[in-house]
Amino acid sequence: MPIDWDAETHEFHLRSEQLSYLVCLLENGALGQLHVGAPLTTGRSYRHLAPGEFRGFDNRLDEPVALEYPTEGIGDYRVPAIAVELANGSSALSLAFVRHRIIAGKPPIPGLPSTYVESDSEADTLEVTLVDPTAGVEVDLRYSVFADRPVIARSAVIRNIGAGPIELRCAMSASLDLPDADWDLIQLSGTWARERAIVERRLAPGRVAIGSLRGASGHEHNPFLALKRPSTTEDCGEVIGLSLVYSGNFLAEAEVDPYGTARVRLGINPEGFSWHLEPGAVFATPEVVLGWSAEGLGGLSDAYHGLYRERLARGTWRDRPRPVLLNSWEGAYFDFDEERLVAMASSARELGVELFVLDDGWFGSRDDDTTSLGDWFVDLRKLPNGLDGLARRIDNLDMGFGLWIEPEMVSEQSRLFAEHADWAIGIPGRHRTASRNQYVLDMARPEIVDYLFAELSKVLAGAPVSYVKWDMNRNVTEPYGLALPADRQGEFFHRYIVGVYALYERLTAAFPNILFESCAGGGGRFDPGMLAWAPQGWTSDDTDAVERLRIQWATSMVYPLSSMGAHVSAVPNHQIGRITPLATRAAVAFFGVLGYELDPTALSADERRQITQQIAFYVERRELFQRGRFVRLRSPFDGDGNETAWMVVSEDRSRAVVGHYRVLNRPVPGPDRLRLRGLDPSLRYRVSSWPSTADAIERVNRAIRGGDDLMTVGLFVESPNPRDAQVRGDFEARLFDVSAEPA
């Protein structure tokens, strides 16, 4: 897995088996981009891909040259990767090559999450140093190429080597110049309860951008974009992805210039950002993971899923099977005491649930959402024997015990606010906006992080806690760092999220056996940065099975099933009021980390029987659902969105579970076959349906079929007899269990 440097042609060739990334030194010393995409033969020069005799922008301004880390003020009028303000007020910057080094393995980024290796043989890292001696700015560009993955991890370290201070105004993690603009851009956008919908558009002259200024990556846009060729499908065609390992304000932007070339940049949002660099000071950007595939969107997702599951998530729970849980929230909300919780847990244990999670309302005097955030001590009115007493009763049921926290927040009605009102973010002399009756603590201040670590450590050490749901239910308003001087307020948002990371790092290190799940009003901070400490996240507050088809499909563009918390909740659904069959709710939630969000003591005998069967089905296939290859078959974003189909396949291709979902039934449908992907064409598979209905579709599919047959002919998802549709209802789900027969 070499990183080749050709001293004669001044080219770097970063190559794995699936990907080549080539850059070269241009005549003026700038670092130019040659190629990203299909693997090219090493030992050859590809300098012909660079503009001939390019010497900067001296002869012709606005020339469409491909640059690795473009600057402003020297004739390139496209969006820059870096922008500074020097002591004299100027901003022009011209970075030229001075040295490089090749490092075995992959160094971490201090204070920030990033992908990693467990052995130096897994990756090599190229570090290229560029300098503008007049400005006193030095930049280290880092590229890590993985041996067996079609990804490049990119980041930058910016250093002040001059005699005076520098204000950093823009510091992108990566910029990518492409020789044409014949791409469709895919973004994942939405809002609370309908996060990460797929939005697709053609690139056109001008700029298109998504981002966040909320202090978190946000419900509205995910820190990811993909560029695909117009003909690219799920399983065929070229696609490039860029994913930012960061949880704060970000910008993802594509620009098409008048010459038909495209520039993409991704990193910390420059709006509202600045960073003061005294002489000798450095700033490290978050990491961008750039992926490429010729095997369509599914191939790109495969690359991200494996990398993020195995080399971004870390710790005790990275590879362990995740427990089936019951969360108390929609079953009890704030209305509980110890006996009710134990009754819920005991009832859930009879169904096969393995972990009971006590959600909001256990601390301070919190009977609703108006009070007590920040008071992390148990409410003895509800839990007279404390958390320890409750947790041990749960433990005696042979269940794990989990707990909800929201450490970044404080209620105005709380002891913490009464003692430290200045810890809540706000601008002195200005009204402080409350949202959900709460304020945000200034996580940029180390003393607040220290306090939270001490208080939460007491809670987690004082009871047998095996799971923590870390929530964050509002975004930042009136951003201001009380500990920062006026001329450094642009550092506030980045310092805030670094403080969040520091608390995560300290708590996960102190309590390595606790499984952390991230949450932010649902999916408001579902991003790669969180995965470094919390290997699973709450995908969305919306648990409706129909809505979850779109949410989980789009989330899977980047994130593995092991990262997606997916729960079966009561009906009518608490977010939208829809009533769907219990089997359908489970058939959607199986494709993730399964949980339940209801009161099991209120279930009927038939519902209890169904849930017992659901959990048994899932647990028997847990490794497959949580770590198998996820394959998308029919998109809820296509056509009228009435159908969705997907499947998960084991690594050895011996087992698969296929899910097919129909929102509304329609009269007299024609025959329809669902072609599978990812099986072994040489194997023979036994096919059965779940839940078993003994209807015509189950009968026609129940057989031993060849892998080639299933992938080229497919499964019947409509009966050959159209009249069979008359007895089926809306919101239907059907799973097909596919298992290889012994040779």
Side-chain angles (χ1 to χ4, degrees), residues 416-717:
L416 180 62
F417 189 84
E419 296 171 1
H420 296 286
D422 62 307
W423 284 12
I425 294 170
I427 301 172
R430 190 177 188 88
H431 170 72
R432 187 159 35 194
T433 301
S435 175
R436 202 175 179 260
N437 301 298
Q438 62 196 62
Y439 302 123
V440 186
L441 292 172
D442 186 352
M443 301 295 288
R445 294 168 64 177
E447 67 271 25
I448 297 177
V449 174
D450 290 343
Y451 172 83
L452 290 171
F453 174 71
E455 293 300 301
L456 293 171
S457 293
K458 294 175 189 175
V459 172
L460 299 181
V465 177
S466 61
Y467 164 101
V468 166
K469 179 181 178 182
W470 181 321
D471 209 343
M472 192 273 294
N473 274 300
R474 64 154 293 180
N475 295 132
V476 173
T477 55
E478 293 86 41
Y480 187 85
L482 199 62
L484 294 172
D487 61 351
R488 299 187 69 165
Q489 289 298 319
E491 301 177 12
F492 168 76
F493 276 117
H494 183 63
R495 289 186 180 275
Y496 175 93
I497 201 63
V498 169
V500 173
Y501 290 152
L503 184 57
Y504 256 114
E505 175 67 24
R506 293 172 67 179
L507 285 173
T508 54
F511 301 95
N513 293 319
I514 291 180
L515 169 60
F516 281 78
E517 177 173 294
S518 67
C519 178
R525 202 163 61 183
F526 198 105
D527 56 60
M530 288 290 105
L531 286 182
W533 292 282
Q536 65 189 57
W538 186 221
T539 316
S540 174
D541 276 349
D542 192 340
T543 54
D544 173 68
V546 174
E547 292 299 312
R548 272 299 186 105
L549 291 171
R550 292 167 58 90
I551 293 168
Q552 290 175 210
W553 174 286
T555 301
S556 77
M557 283 287 165
V558 189
Y559 304 99
L561 297 190
S562 62
S563 71
M564 285 190 257
H567 291 183
V568 175
S569 60
V571 292
N573 178 265
H574 288 200
Q575 288 75 50
I576 64 172
R578 189 171 4 238
I579 298 175
T580 54
L582 182 56
T584 296
R585 286 172 265 157
V588 176
F590 284 163
F591 290 85
V593 180
L594 177 65
Y596 289 80
E597 193 109 0
L598 42 74
D599 182 357
T601 67
L603 297 171
S604 68
D606 182 63
E607 289 171 329
R608 293 182 65 81
R609 177 189 58 80
Q610 288 189 60
I611 290 177
T612 301
Q613 293 174 350
Q614 292 168 6
I615 293 173
F617 181 88
Y618 180 84
V619 168
E620 198 275 327
R621 296 159 181 81
R622 176 165 24 204
E623 180 71 13
L624 177 61
F625 280 121
Q626 294 184 2
R627 302 188 63 80
R629 181 192 176 205
F630 187 61
V631 180
R632 297 180 294 266
L633 300 174
R634 290 186 181 175
S635 172
F637 296 95
D638 287 347
D640 61 3
N642 199 53
E643 265 192 285
T644 302
W646 53 43
M647 61 188 288
V648 62
V649 188
S650 63
E651 185 177 359
D652 64 2
R653 299 188 290 176
S654 67
R655 298 199 70 178
V657 177
V658 182
H660 178 261
Y661 312 87
R662 180 176 287 104
V663 178
L664 299 179
N665 190 28
R666 285 166 182 169
V668 200
D672 185 14
R673 294 172 178 175
L674 177 66
R675 294 178 177 87
L676 310 186
R677 296 203 313 273
L679 300 177
D680 186 333
S682 68
L683 293 181
R684 289 163 55 82
Y685 294 90
R686 182 177 297 275
V687 179
S688 60
S689 293
W690 185 93
S692 179
T693 56
D695 63 2
I697 295 177
E698 181 174 349
R699 290 194 299 272
V700 76
N701 283 302
R702 189 191 302 125
I704 296 176
R705 307 274 297 275
D708 53 351
D709 174 9
L710 290 168
M711 292 190 290
T712 58
V713 178
L715 295 167
F716 278 102
V717 291

Side-chain angles (χ1 to χ4, degrees), residues 213-293:
L213 292 169
R214 298 167 179 264
S217 50
H219 295 87
E220 290 67 30
H221 305 292
N222 203 253
F224 163 82
L225 63 79
L227 298 175
K228 75 174 187 69
R229 294 300 186 183
S231 60
T232 293
T233 63
E234 274 291 331
D235 62 339
C236 182
E238 184 179 17
V239 59
I240 300 170
L242 294 98
S243 173
L244 183 66
V245 185
Y246 191 62
S247 309
N249 292 352
F250 76 93
L251 176 72
E253 185 170 23
E255 179 179 15
V256 176
D257 69 13
Y259 302 96
T261 69
R263 171 172 290 173
V264 182
R265 64 175 183 164
L266 182 56
I268 295 173
N269 200 321
E271 188 172 341
F273 168 83
S274 64
W275 199 269
H276 184 80
L277 291 175
E278 289 289 341
V282 301
F283 180 83
T285 73
E287 178 174 277
V288 160
V289 177
L290 183 151
W292 178 88
S293 175

Side-chain angles (χ1 to χ4, degrees), residues 5-327:
W5 161 244
D6 189 322
E8 182 177 345
T9 63
H10 296 160
E11 295 172 71
F12 295 101
H13 189 165
L14 292 74
R15 189 183 190 280
S16 68
E17 292 184 3
Q18 306 106 314
L19 171 72
S20 277
Y21 194 107
L22 288 110
V23 296
C24 72
L25 304 187
L26 303 176
E27 287 83 352
N28 69 338
L31 195 63
Q33 211 163 81
L34 295 178
H35 168 79
V36 56
L40 300 175
T41 303
T42 58
R44 297 178 182 173
S45 173
Y46 295 94
R47 195 169 182 86
H48 57 277
L49 299 176
E53 296 301 316
F54 175 73
R55 302 182 184 280
F57 295 93
D58 299 336
N59 299 318
R60 179 179 178 179
L61 297 179
D62 206 19
E63 196 169 312
V65 62
L67 297 170
E68 274 296 288
Y69 210 63
T71 62
E72 63 178 9
I74 59 167
D76 184 350
Y77 297 108
R78 295 166 293 178
V79 290
I82 181 173
V84 298
E85 182 181 326
L86 303 178
N88 63 4
S90 66
S91 60
L93 200 61
S94 181
L95 296 171
F97 174 85
V98 291
R99 61 183 178 273
H100 80 276
R101 61 175 180 150
I102 297 173
I103 308 163
K106 184 177 185 295
I109 304 174
L112 292 174
S114 62
T115 56
Y116 61 93
V117 296
E118 292 186 337
S119 167
D120 284 349
S121 63
E122 294 181 27
D124 282 346
T125 298
L126 169 67
E127 183 178 273
V128 178
T129 301
L130 310 175
V131 171
D132 182 333
T134 302
V137 175
E138 182 176 86
V139 179
D140 293 334
L141 299 180
R142 290 181 176 172
Y143 308 77
S144 294
V145 54
F146 289 82
D148 57 354
R149 306 177 193 271
V151 298
I152 301 284
R154 290 189 55 180
S155 62
V157 176
I158 300 159
R159 185 177 298 105
N160 181 355
I161 60 170
I166 292 172
E167 293 297 321
L168 189 58
R169 301 292 188 190
C170 172
M172 290 288 109
S173 298
S175 178
L176 185 67
D177 281 357
L178 299 169
D180 67 83
D182 187 24
W183 301 92
D184 294 342
L185 184 146
I186 295 176
Q187 65 194 61
L188 305 179
S189 299
T191 189
W192 176 82
R194 49 181 175 85
E195 296 91 339
R196 292 175 300 284
I198 291 176
V199 179
E200 187 172 332
R201 67 183 86 184
R202 291 284 291 149
L203 286 189
R207 294 161 60 179
V208 58
I210 59 171
S212 173
L213 292 169
R214 298 167 179 264
S217 50
H219 295 87
E220 290 67 30
H221 305 292
N222 203 253
F224 163 82
L225 63 79
L227 298 175
K228 75 174 187 69
R229 294 300 186 183
S231 60
T232 293
T233 63
E234 274 291 331
D235 62 339
C236 182
E238 184 179 17
V239 59
I240 300 170
L242 294 98
S243 173
L244 183 66
V245 185
Y246 191 62
S247 309
N249 292 352
F250 76 93
L251 176 72
E253 185 170 23
E255 179 179 15
V256 176
D257 69 13
Y259 302 96
T261 69
R263 171 172 290 173
V264 182
R265 64 175 183 164
L266 182 56
I268 295 173
N269 200 321
E271 188 172 341
F273 168 83
S274 64
W275 199 269
H276 184 80
L277 291 175
E278 289 289 341
V282 301
F283 180 83
T285 73
E287 178 174 277
V288 160
V289 177
L290 183 151
W292 178 88
S293 175
E295 298 177 352
L297 293 167
L300 182 68
S301 297
D302 287 343
Y304 282 122
H305 290 182
L307 181 70
Y308 285 177
R309 185 177 59 239
E310 299 158 10
R311 292 297 181 267
L312 179 58
R314 64 198 74 206
T316 305
W317 283 96
R318 186 191 70 180
D319 301 327
R320 289 175 61 182
R322 312 288 168 69
V324 178
L325 65 83
L326 173 74
N327 185 289

